[in-house]
Amino acid sequence: MDRDRDDPTAAGEELARSEGRLRRAQDVARLGSWELDLSTSAMWASEEAFRIYGLPRPPGGELPLALVQAIPLPEFRPLLDLALGELLSGARPYDLRFRIRRHEDGAIRTVHSFAEVSRDAAGRPLLVTGTVQDVTEREARDAELMSALRQSEERARLALEQAADAIFLFDPTGAFAQVNERAVALTGHPREALLAGNIRMLFSPEVLAARPLRFDLVASGETVVAERLLTRRDGAQLAVEMHSRGLADGTIQSIIRDISERRRMEAQLQQRQRMDTVGALASGIAHDFNNIVTGIQGFAALLRADEPALYPAQREAVAAILGSCRRASDLVRGLQMASREAPRATGILDLGALAAEACGVVRETSDRVVAKELRIAPGRWWVRGDASALYHALLNLLVNAVQAIEAKGAGPGDRVVVEADEPEPGARARLGLPPGRWLRVTVRDTGVGMTDEVRLRAFDPLFTTKEKGARKGQGLGLATVYNVVVRQHGGAVDVESAPGEGATFHLLLPAADAPVPEAAAPAAPAVAPASPAAAPPAPSTPPPSPEAASP
């Protein structure tokens, strides 16, 4: 037998304890309960419900229905009536959040109410039982959290969009989920095209075959770093460094950095180091070789002094020896120019006049079919440097350009163009030049062009693509250009070329202001000479012969 059931006092105490527990739980949760008798429209509410509405609770807990209906803010009243009607009709549950004006102090509070309906055997609604909870503080906390989340998302978005590197987010199949603005700029693809594509679209089949995308290593938690050639939308290829790692949600993040400029700078540094080394070696060889050639040339000259006593075959042999000595002297002179480190004299030079002199020599000594266009006006551009050295550099470039055109067969449309301008700051910084004023001289031809391998070795002394024995140079022309521009004048040389597309050489030289003309000296009084005599003409010094061009 259940003693509590038989003992009314014990049963009453247990009920009181249960009600106390329920009341305390409602106080802690700020959750009140209410009932609406549909047959009488009488409404009952718990103590916490009265507190939420700001009403005093009568002993029976009866809640005035009209007063309760007036407490929600007016804009929510239609929503509440609609929700109750849909609950009674069975259309949808009664579960909504609305705002009230608390009766006792007029404070605006946010409440969440949930209700269910009890029906009779015929399915008619009899009683609505519900809960009401004050969620004002929770809503404020949620709003703060949402604001913080939005701010965090905005910071993350800004960090993603403003990153200096291209960032790609994609699923394990490679399908893009998100890309930043730098990714659009790097690849040349519109954002919509990237988001509809796959990471594999950025690399050629040959690149992927050589270095597959190791998503298996990324999935195992590794960060995969690899250098690849990325193919842009326009077909251009860039050297990039790709860092890929997995995120907690299974997404893969790849950060791709353009390292083409870094590789270019490294190649230029290696070129300069190689030139310094070869130049030092060439200087030593030239000095010793010149001593040997001088001896041979001297003895050959002694033999030639006895030319009347020589047989015809002997005279031809002596002439051949002297001709070989002259060619050896040309080689020595080229080696010396390729290894000279400092300009012999420095002054302010009119680039237009210097280029006109070099172009004039090439026009007179080369194929007339090849047009030579000089687009540098005299007196427009001024540089600081060694006139003789810069003359030789320009002459070598022009000879090299004409020979490159002749190598493919000169035609009516072939031309060599010489022009000048001021380089943009990006070009100066890319070539590693210090801040300051620089002038860019460009020599462009429509010749045979160069492969990447030839272009990388174009400035090496003694490297040439010409057939051995051809009297067109010893491979020192471009080495001389490099030495004059880079080592003697502190400038830079940049080359653009491709097979069949000609070559463009950019020489960056220190710019100067036009010299200020000196004040004219006062004219001396005219004195008639006692016996007029014609002044002898000034000796004409022919321009130095061009160094034969390399590739």
Side-chain angles (χ1 to χ4, degrees):
M1 179 182 293
D2 191 334
R3 188 178 62 181
D4 290 343
R5 183 179 300 174
D6 295 339
D7 187 350
T9 303
E13 292 176 352
E14 180 62 29
L15 178 61
R17 284 195 297 271
S18 297
E19 290 178 349
R21 294 190 189 101
L22 178 61
R23 184 172 59 255
R24 289 191 297 274
Q26 290 188 355
D27 291 343
V28 171
R30 295 188 178 184
L31 177 68
S33 57
W34 55 270
E35 291 181 354
L36 174 61
D37 189 336
L38 297 176
S39 61
T40 63
S41 296
M43 192 171 185
W44 173 91
S46 68
E47 184 176 339
E48 180 61 19
F50 276 93
R51 190 197 65 77
I52 291 172
Y53 286 118
L55 296 169
R57 187 174 189 271
E62 294 163 353
L63 189 64
L65 179 60
L67 184 58
V68 172
Q69 290 178 335
I71 288 177
L73 297 182
E75 58 266 29
F76 290 98
R77 186 70 260 165
L79 179 65
L80 290 165
D81 294 340
L82 177 63
L84 181 59
E86 290 179 338
L87 172 67
L88 298 179
S89 66
R92 68 178 62 186
Y94 183 98
D95 184 2
L96 70 162
R97 185 174 294 198
F98 57 96
R99 302 179 78 188
I100 65 171
R101 187 183 302 276
R102 198 159 53 192
H103 182 74
E104 62 179 2
D105 56 8
I108 303 299
R109 309 293 290 180
T110 302
V111 299
H112 180 209
S113 185
F114 177 80
E116 291 183 349
V117 63
S118 301
R119 303 177 185 274
D120 60 14
R124 291 186 295 268
L126 296 178
L127 182 68
V128 177
T129 304
T131 60
V132 59
Q133 185 176 26
D134 187 343
V135 295
T136 306
E137 285 76 14
R138 181 195 303 173
E139 188 176 65
R141 289 194 301 270
D142 291 346
E144 291 177 1
L145 289 174
M146 288 301 297
S147 176
L149 179 60
R150 284 193 294 270
Q151 292 177 6
S152 177
E153 290 177 345
E154 180 64 14
R155 287 193 295 269
R157 187 190 66 81
L158 290 175
L160 179 71
E161 289 300 328
Q162 297 178 2
D165 297 323
I167 300 178
F168 302 83
L169 299 178
F170 48 91
D171 63 23
T173 68
F176 287 123
Q178 191 174 0
V179 298
N180 67 348
E181 190 62 32
R182 177 60 185 151
V184 174
L186 179 69
T187 63
H189 291 282
R191 187 184 295 268
E192 296 75 16
L194 286 175
L195 294 178
N198 191 287
I199 187 69
R200 293 176 176 84
M201 67 187 287
L202 305 181
F203 307 101
S204 67
E206 295 77 16
V207 170
L208 292 176
R211 302 204 70 171
L213 297 170
R214 298 300 306 273
F215 292 158
D216 55 332
L217 298 180
V218 174
S220 65
E222 293 188 29
T223 297
V224 178
V225 181
E227 289 189 17
R228 306 177 187 277
L229 279 178
L230 181 143
T231 303
R232 287 174 45 86
R233 184 188 182 190
D234 57 10
Q237 289 190 319
L238 300 175
V240 297
E241 188 175 71
M242 183 175 177
H243 293 247
S244 301
R245 66 186 184 96
L247 303 182
D249 61 355
T251 302
I252 298 175
Q253 178 194 67
S254 282
I255 300 176
I256 297 182
R257 175 173 299 175
D258 183 358
I259 60 171
S260 55
E261 289 303 319
R262 185 204 304 174
R263 292 291 175 260
R264 187 186 185 98
M265 294 293 291
E266 290 173 354
Q268 290 177 351
L269 178 60
Q270 292 171 0
Q271 172 70 22
R272 182 156 192 162
Q273 292 172 341
R274 186 165 60 248
M275 285 294 297
D276 289 343
T277 302
V278 176
L281 176 63
S283 179
I285 293 174
H287 181 270
D288 293 339
F289 189 61
N290 189 56
N291 292 337
I292 298 172
V293 172
T294 301
I296 297 173
Q297 193 171 14
F299 284 112
L302 290 176
L303 288 173
R304 193 169 190 176
D306 294 334
E307 186 173 358
L310 298 177
Y311 296 111
Q314 292 172 331
R315 286 195 292 270
E316 291 178 3
V318 171
I321 293 172
L322 290 173
S324 296
C325 289
R326 283 193 297 271
R327 288 193 293 273
S329 296
D330 290 343
L331 176 59
V332 169
R333 185 166 54 253
L335 287 170
Q336 289 172 338
M337 291 191 66
S339 60
R340 187 177 294 121
E341 295 186 359
R344 294 185 294 274
T346 300
I348 297 177
L349 312 174
D350 182 353
L351 182 64
L354 198 67
E357 185 179 356
C359 282
V361 172
V362 176
R363 284 193 184 102
E364 296 299 325
T365 59
S366 63
D367 194 335
R368 299 298 179 92
V369 175
V370 180
K372 291 86 178 177
E373 298 182 9
L374 178 61
R375 301 177 182 175
I376 305 177
R380 172 68 177 86
W381 304 102
W382 298 82
V383 296
R384 185 179 301 277
D386 179 356
S388 176
L390 290 176
Y391 170 83
H392 273 88
L394 285 174
L395 201 57
N396 275 296
L397 275 182
L398 292 170
V399 171
N400 188 81
V402 172
Q403 293 181 356
I405 293 173
E406 292 174 344
K408 74 176 183 62
D414 286 316
R415 65 191 62 250
V416 178
V417 179
V418 184
E419 53 194 354
D421 64 356
E422 292 182 351
E424 60 275 10
R428 175 186 57 75
R430 176 174 56 81
L431 294 171
L433 295 176
R437 295 180 56 207
W438 295 90
L439 179 65
R440 178 168 57 190
V441 184
T442 300
V443 178
R444 184 171 62 252
D445 66 65
T446 57
V448 68
M450 292 182 282
T451 64
D452 288 341
E453 180 182 1
V454 172
R455 181 175 54 81
L456 292 175
R457 297 191 59 194
F459 298 106
D460 287 356
L462 305 182
F463 172 76
T464 180
T465 58
K466 297 179 176 62
E467 297 179 3
K468 294 187 179 296
R471 186 66 178 101
K472 291 187 177 181
Q474 296 84 19
L476 292 171
L478 293 182
T480 300
V481 172
Y482 184 92
N483 181 69
V484 168
V485 175
V486 177
R487 301 180 69 192
Q488 294 186 20
H489 291 81
V493 181
D494 195 19
V495 186
E496 301 173 16
S497 184
E501 298 182 6
T504 301
F505 288 81
H506 300 288
L507 312 182
L508 277 80
L509 298 167
D513 294 322
V516 179
E518 298 181 358
V527 178
S531 57
S540 174
T541 303
S545 60
E547 293 297 326
S550 67

